[in-house]
């Protein structure tokens, strides 16, 4: 997703960017998330005083695994996107210095947005997706999905270090 900043500044009006991005390589090492299609980015870029503000939405179809019972969840996800870029001199860009944390520094006439879009996608993924709010999860002993069937495993375990105290009662 290449944004021509020089053209954006001379036009003095917003530029709309739309692109479908293949993100399968981005999810290659992940076992709990799989893309079911490309990521669709619809962004609007506005430039003023050396600052480029890019906003929009990222949509895509993903398969995630429930964090409690490992049931696959397929769904259409939409994430907001907002990033502010600041044009800096070549020396500052080479040193990698950033004087303000609210801006991403860049140098040159063109700005590649794809790495920032991919980063936003990864940061926006749910940390612990659930198949339903009251998911019971898997039994830690036998592995049975407690949403489908109750298991016969003992639910309340006593710490073996304290088991000797189980029958002890203070004298009143």
């Amino acid at each position: 997703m290449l944004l021509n900043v020089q053209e954006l500044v001379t036009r003095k009006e917003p530029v709309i960017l739309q692109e479908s991005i293949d993100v399968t390589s981005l999810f290659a090492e992940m076992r709990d998330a799989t893309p079911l299609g490309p990521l669709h980015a619809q962004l609007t870029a506005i430039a003023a005083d050396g600052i480029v503000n890019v906003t929009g939405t990222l949509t895509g179809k993903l398969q995630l695994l429930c964090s409690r019972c490992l049931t696959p969840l397929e769904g259409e996800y939409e994430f907001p996107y907002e990033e502010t870029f600041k044009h800096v001199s070549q020396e500052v860009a080479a040193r990698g210095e950033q004087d303000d944390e609210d801006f991403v520094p860049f140098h040159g006439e063109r700005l590649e947005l794809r790495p920032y879009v991919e980063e936003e996608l990864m940061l926006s993924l749910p940390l612990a997706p659930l198949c339903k709010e009251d998911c019971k999860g898997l039994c830690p002993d036998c592995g049975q999905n407690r949403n489908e069937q109750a298991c016969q495993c003992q639910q309340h375990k006593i710490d073996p270090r304290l088991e000797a105290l189980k029958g002890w009662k203070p004298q009143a």
Side-chain angles (χ1 to χ4, degrees):
M1 265 190 118
L2 196 59
L3 174 64
N4 189 334
V5 178
Q6 191 68 26
E7 181 182 316
L8 178 65
V9 170
T10 57
R11 286 179 62 184
K12 296 184 180 181
E13 59 184 52
V15 171
I16 296 174
L17 301 164
Q18 294 181 355
E19 189 171 325
S20 293
I21 302 170
D22 182 22
V23 290
T24 52
S25 62
L26 192 62
F27 288 89
E29 298 294 320
M30 296 180 70
R31 293 185 299 164
D32 56 348
T34 307
L36 299 176
L39 174 70
H40 301 287
Q42 185 165 359
L43 306 174
T44 303
I46 301 170
D49 300 326
I51 295 174
V52 178
N53 192 17
V54 181
T55 59
T57 57
L58 309 174
T59 57
K61 193 169 183 182
L62 297 171
Q63 179 184 30
L64 304 174
L65 295 180
C66 176
S67 61
R68 292 184 189 163
C69 68
L70 303 177
T71 301
L73 311 167
E74 290 185 10
E76 186 81 26
Y77 293 92
E78 183 173 303
F79 307 109
Y81 179 82
E82 183 173 348
E83 194 73 67
T84 304
F85 300 92
K86 183 177 182 181
H87 193 271
V88 295
S89 67
Q90 187 174 4
E91 295 81 29
V92 173
R95 287 188 303 229
E97 293 180 5
Q98 187 171 346
D99 60 344
D100 192 346
E101 296 297 320
D102 294 336
F103 299 103
V104 176
F106 77 96
H107 176 72
E109 296 179 6
R110 295 188 177 143
L111 180 59
E112 177 59 54
L113 296 174
R114 183 178 177 144
Y116 302 104
V117 168
E118 289 177 347
E119 179 183 28
E120 185 65 32
L121 170 66
M122 297 307 284
L123 293 174
S124 297
L125 289 175
L127 185 62
L130 296 176
C131 59
K132 56 185 178 181
E133 199 63 36
D134 61 342
C135 178
K136 297 175 185 174
L138 300 175
C139 175
D141 293 328
C142 68
Q144 174 67 37
N145 187 341
R146 292 179 177 164
N147 296 317
E148 297 171 356
Q149 180 181 358
C151 63
Q152 304 302 319
C153 299
Q154 183 180 359
Q155 299 296 322
H156 301 286
K157 297 197 182 232
I158 298 174
D159 188 336
R161 297 170 293 180
L162 303 175
E163 195 165 0
L165 300 175
K166 185 168 81 173
W168 182 72
K169 291 185 182 179
Q171 299 296 328

